[in-house]
Amino acid sequence: MSRKTQPTPRKGYFGEYGGMFVPETLVSALAELDRAFAEAMADEKFLAELDRCHREIAGRPSELYLARRLSEKCGGAKIYLKREDMNHTGAHKINNTLGQALLAVRMGKKRVIAETGAGQHGVATATAATVLGLDCDVYMGTEDIRRQQLNVFRMELLGARVLPVETGQRTLKDATNEAMRDWMASSEHTHYILGSVCGPHPFPTMVREFQCCIGREAREQMLAAEGRLPEVIVACVGGGSNAAGIFHPMIDDKQVRMVGVEAAGTGLRLGEHAATLCAGSPGVLHGAKSYVLQSEDGQTAPVHSVSAGLDYPGVGPEHSYWKRIGRVSYTCRTDDEALAATAALSRAEGIIPALESAHAVAEAMDLAGKMSADEIVLVNLSGRGDKDCNEIAEILRRRRGG
Amino acid sequence: MSGLDDNRLVRTFAELRSAGRKTLSPFLTAGFPDVETTAALLHDFEARGVKVCELGIPFSDPIADGPTIQSSFTSALDAGFTTADAMELVRGYRSAGGGIALVAMVSYSIVFRRDASRFLSEAADAGFDGVLIPDLPLEEAGEFEPLAAERGLANVMLIAPTTPPQRRLQIAGHCRGFIYYVSVAGITGERDKLPEATIEQVRELRGHTDTAICIGFGISRPEMVRTVCEVADGAIVGSAIVHRIADAIQQGASRDDIVARAGEFVSELIEPTL
């Protein structure tokens, strides 16, 4: 029975995407979280405290930086970078973990848990937990533990426990499963700090709200610098939290084009990439209806990206909605393009971007080259590349050897 | 109201109740280790007095399941088992005269991908009597319920220890076949003891609904089946059975031996209900 469904304003839905597809055991925890989040966001004291944490701990506001030499190199539009890479812990992730950790304290929880792929969200969670006095356990696939030794060490140094996950592909998706399982048994005293705009309601809305500081600042900074908004905003999309954070506050500025950049990996056959919106189809994963990479039979597909942070077979439901209504266009860039953009930005501006963010830089460089000098491209530089240096060195070594 | 009077699951619990009997509902992973063994297990269990069985359709990311069931899912999927194979398995079991009431335990990821209507038509056609979708809570089940009912399938729903009292009644009102009462907050897996509070909650719910109630999660021994059946209509045992099947496979047991070992365990478990 295929009935035409109009987007209906159901709670926790973005058009037909979103929802709360979780075991009954989690429903009351999500309802409690939904209430607590709504109350907190209506409480001036909570918002002031969040703002203080963002300033004093994360180091906000992050700079808006005109990348002159990179712009010249591309020979077209001016490229501005929103410097989320300058945040404490090295990426936009801290914006969300501080928000959720404050909420955990407000709800009287003593412990937080998180999933992590590359370890950036794990480090940001461990940091927020420590500074707010919460116990912290981070689930991480053993494959990622092997690839991201430095972040494992950072989390442990920050006082968190890293719990290895041996199931499935032993990466982010599997760590997410394990964190949800933990939460089913522990929600009475534990809050689950989910790291992206994914998962069941209220997570996609809550994480976006905690990330919207990016777009609010960028909007003001753009107006101050240029007296107008950019022609186009570019952000990378794995789960989609940095993109949602910069897009959402300008989503009603209809003249601003928005581009989300996914990981095309080594090719667009299933298993070679993580381009969920570009190559996937609507499905249900980790509690939400959204685009998913899965087999004909509904089994989650293996994914690949050189950047561990984009290496995920799902995407936030609001992005599926923005794709459906045509507000944001989604494209993808390969591992090689991301590596080339990493080198280009490093050499032009002295900024080593995270491999995730480098996907957005690659897209922005191409777009800027085709635009005129009085136009503006704004890139969300979501994280810095220190964490990736070992991985990049390894790839370059292999290539020289081969 | 439900239009499910002819449904085998509904009928089975009605018969059990009028006979003053309780039941054991084993859980099996469809296709673990292969189609033939699962079918042989069903026939064996039936001969030992099993009347209701849950058949888990393997899924790559079962968040409500513990390591035992998850690894059986992974193993079946690695061997190439699909949802279509699960349908064929049940069709074969029915055409060989199999009479256990069968509930498909399946993730909504699979149901949605296949299209809910198509999935339910296939399940009804194959010979399933009910569906249990652990990741489809009341809020999301609105469109699904009538689709199941139209095809004569009972939509079994779960109540958890974390479910507030008022919501338990709501779920009980929507649930068909039997209510799956989750004994502990957490995932499936063998445990030593059941929480007292669960037994009390079920006793309380018993006074508010005529629908059968089965308790599952963590039940691993005959004494636990006996305790559960003092208040509920049945006990569901999954991980403890799958665990024995996995052990037998690991030890290189033949199909007959796997079936015999799992069957003997089921005989021990079902004894308190006979």
Side-chain angles (χ1 to χ4, degrees):
Chain A
M1 196 190 304
S2 67
R3 57 182 69 155
K4 280 259 187 288
T5 46
Q6 290 295 323
T8 44
R10 281 175 66 191
K11 193 175 167 72
Y13 273 81
F14 308 92
E16 68 212 82
Y17 301 107
M20 196 183 65
F21 297 88
V22 294
E24 175 62 24
T25 308
L26 279 183
V27 170
S28 64
L30 290 168
E32 180 196 3
L33 182 59
D34 191 29
R35 276 193 306 274
F37 173 63
E39 285 167 15
M41 295 305 276
D43 178 352
E44 290 298 328
K45 276 204 293 220
F46 177 84
L47 294 175
E49 180 64 1
L50 176 62
D51 190 50
R52 185 190 70 78
C53 287
H54 276 170
R55 271 185 289 114
E56 295 179 4
I57 301 168
R60 303 205 70 83
S62 68
E63 289 296 324
L64 180 73
Y65 173 76
L66 172 58
R68 286 195 181 79
R69 285 166 49 85
L70 186 72
S71 306
E72 272 169 36
K73 179 177 150 69
C74 298
K78 281 192 239 182
I79 300 174
Y80 275 90
L81 305 175
K82 178 61 176 164
R83 297 292 305 276
E84 292 299 300
D85 63 313
M86 298 286 276
N87 293 341
H88 181 43
T89 73
H92 69 292
K93 294 290 187 186
I94 191 85
N95 303 331
N96 170 45
T97 61
L98 285 170
Q100 289 201 48
L102 280 175
L103 199 55
V105 170
R106 192 183 160 97
M107 289 190 292
K109 309 288 178 182
K110 303 288 178 228
R111 170 181 178 253
V112 292
I113 53 172
E115 81 295 340
T116 198
Q120 289 303 101
H121 175 58
V123 169
T125 302
T127 303
T130 297
V131 76
L132 294 171
L134 297 161
D135 289 336
C136 178
D137 287 334
V138 180
Y139 287 94
M140 189 169 186
T142 50
E143 178 57 20
D144 287 332
I145 288 177
R146 187 188 62 73
R147 290 192 289 193
Q148 300 286 345
Q149 276 299 322
L150 177 63
N151 274 344
V152 174
F153 179 72
R154 289 171 78 196
M155 285 184 268
E156 288 173 346
L157 195 59
L158 288 162
R161 268 199 310 175
V162 178
L163 304 173
V165 176
E166 294 278 4
T167 51
Q169 272 188 291
R170 303 183 175 87
T171 58
L172 178 56
K173 159 184 88 78
D174 312 291
T176 306
N177 291 340
E178 224 47 63
M180 286 197 173
R181 287 178 182 134
D182 181 312
W183 203 36
M184 292 214 300
S186 65
S187 62
E188 209 178 317
H189 56 82
T190 295
H191 172 62
Y192 174 21
I193 301 191
L194 206 150
S196 194
V197 286
C198 295
H201 176 73
F203 284 107
T205 301
M206 180 172 67
V207 176
R208 181 200 71 206
E209 284 304 306
F210 289 145
Q211 291 293 359
C212 273
C213 50
I214 305 173
R216 280 195 302 267
E217 287 171 14
R219 194 174 190 285
E220 271 181 38
Q221 291 165 324
M222 230 30 268
L223 291 173
E226 293 279 349
R228 66 187 188 86
L229 296 179
E231 268 64 35
V232 53
I233 306 176
V234 185
C236 66
V237 176
S241 69
N242 88 81
I246 198 162
F247 291 164
H248 192 266
M250 289 181 266
I251 209 85
D252 292 330
D253 297 308
K254 300 286 189 230
Q255 74 279 21
V256 179
R257 247 181 358 110
M258 296 179 179
V259 182
V261 187
E262 298 189 310
T266 56
L268 281 183
R269 279 190 307 235
L270 208 57
E272 295 178 344
H273 64 88
T276 309
L277 287 162
C278 292
S281 54
V284 173
L285 177 68
H286 290 148
K289 197 179 286 180
S290 190
Y291 273 67
V292 181
L293 290 169
Q294 57 182 195
S295 72
E296 287 288 310
D297 206 29
Q299 310 294 343
T300 312
V303 284
H304 164 79
S305 169
V306 68
S307 90
L310 301 184
D311 206 353
Y312 180 68
V315 68
E318 195 164 24
H319 286 290
S320 293
Y321 174 63
W322 286 335
K323 175 187 164 83
R324 173 61 57 92
I325 62 170
R327 178 62 187 95
V328 180
S329 54
Y330 295 89
T331 182
C332 53
R333 292 281 165 172
T334 64
D335 287 356
D336 285 350
E337 289 170 316
L339 287 164
T342 301
L345 184 61
S346 300
R347 285 173 197 170
E349 301 289 348
I351 298 170
I352 302 174
L355 283 172
E356 291 80 6
S357 323
H359 288 72
V361 174
E363 176 68 18
M365 288 171 66
D366 271 8
L367 283 174
K370 294 175 199 141
M371 293 163 68
S372 65
D374 58 353
E375 293 184 301
I376 300 167
V377 176
L378 168 62
V379 183
N380 195 13
L381 198 70
S382 56
R384 60 177 174 247
D386 308 32
K387 69 181 174 64
D388 295 317
C389 285
N390 277 338
E391 181 74 10
I392 297 171
E394 179 64 27
I395 291 168
L396 297 180
R397 195 156 47 236
R398 271 203 304 270
R399 289 193 179 168
R400 259 185 245 116
Chain B
M1 175 175 79
S2 65
L4 291 174
D5 294 343
D6 283 346
N7 180 282
R8 192 185 334 241
L9 194 60
V10 173
R11 220 170 50 220
T12 302
F13 279 106
E15 285 166 9
L16 283 165
R17 188 169 294 176
S18 59
R21 298 254 316 277
K22 302 299 175 76
T23 195
L24 169 83
S25 172
F27 167 96
L28 287 172
T29 294
F32 178 67
D34 51 50
V35 172
E36 294 77 10
T37 307
T38 309
L41 284 162
L42 287 174
H43 288 295
D44 180 90
F45 289 0
E46 191 167 0
R48 294 172 191 271
V50 168
K51 306 220 174 296
V52 177
C53 189
E54 281 174 67
L55 210 50
I57 297 184
F59 177 50
S60 53
D61 299 273
I63 54 172
D65 283 303
T68 307
I69 291 174
Q70 179 171 23
S71 88
S72 73
F73 279 5
T74 306
S75 152
L77 291 172
D78 286 349
F81 189 82
T82 64
T83 304
D85 293 333
M87 301 297 178
E88 276 314 302
L89 163 61
V90 170
R91 193 185 311 281
Y93 170 70
R94 290 289 181 230
S95 56
I100 295 179
L102 291 175
V103 178
M105 204 285 289
V106 57
S107 167
Y108 194 63
S109 298
I110 290 176
V111 174
F112 180 79
R113 174 69 183 204
R114 214 170 181 77
D115 180 83
S117 299
R118 178 181 159 205
F119 176 87
L120 289 164
S121 295
E122 288 175 351
D125 195 47
F128 276 110
D129 306 293
V131 284
L132 165 57
I133 306 188
D135 50 355
L136 194 70
L138 197 56
E139 287 75 5
E140 305 291 353
E143 287 180 25
F144 183 81
E145 283 179 33
L147 297 178
E150 280 163 26
R151 289 159 181 82
L153 289 169
N155 186 32
V156 175
M157 299 180 78
L158 297 110
I159 295 179
T162 52
T163 307
Q166 193 55 39
R167 184 179 167 86
R168 284 179 218 151
L169 300 183
Q170 268 180 301
I171 295 174
H174 283 264
C175 188
R176 298 289 177 267
F178 67 91
I179 295 161
Y180 190 131
Y181 211 104
V182 175
S183 69
V184 287
I187 54 179
T188 60
E190 299 163 66
R191 290 174 177 84
D192 290 333
K193 212 167 157 288
L194 291 173
E196 289 288 326
T198 303
I199 302 293
E200 272 319 300
Q201 286 172 14
V202 171
R203 204 189 301 277
E204 153 73 18
L205 182 63
R206 182 72 291 160
H208 296 283
T209 177
D210 286 335
T211 308
I213 305 173
C214 294
I215 301 181
F217 279 42
I219 301 174
S220 59
R221 291 196 307 270
E223 315 86 86
M224 296 166 89
V225 173
R226 177 170 291 123
T227 308
V228 157
C229 286
E230 282 168 18
V231 291
D233 298 271
I236 299 162
V237 179
S239 296
I241 294 171
V242 175
H243 181 181
R244 276 162 180 81
I245 296 171
D247 281 353
I249 294 165
Q250 181 130 43
Q251 290 156 15
S254 67
R255 179 174 302 149
D256 287 350
D257 198 20
I258 296 170
V259 172
R261 287 205 229 171
E264 281 157 25
F265 181 52
V266 164
S267 282
E268 289 171 34
L269 292 170
I270 204 171
E271 202 274 330
T273 74
L274 294 177

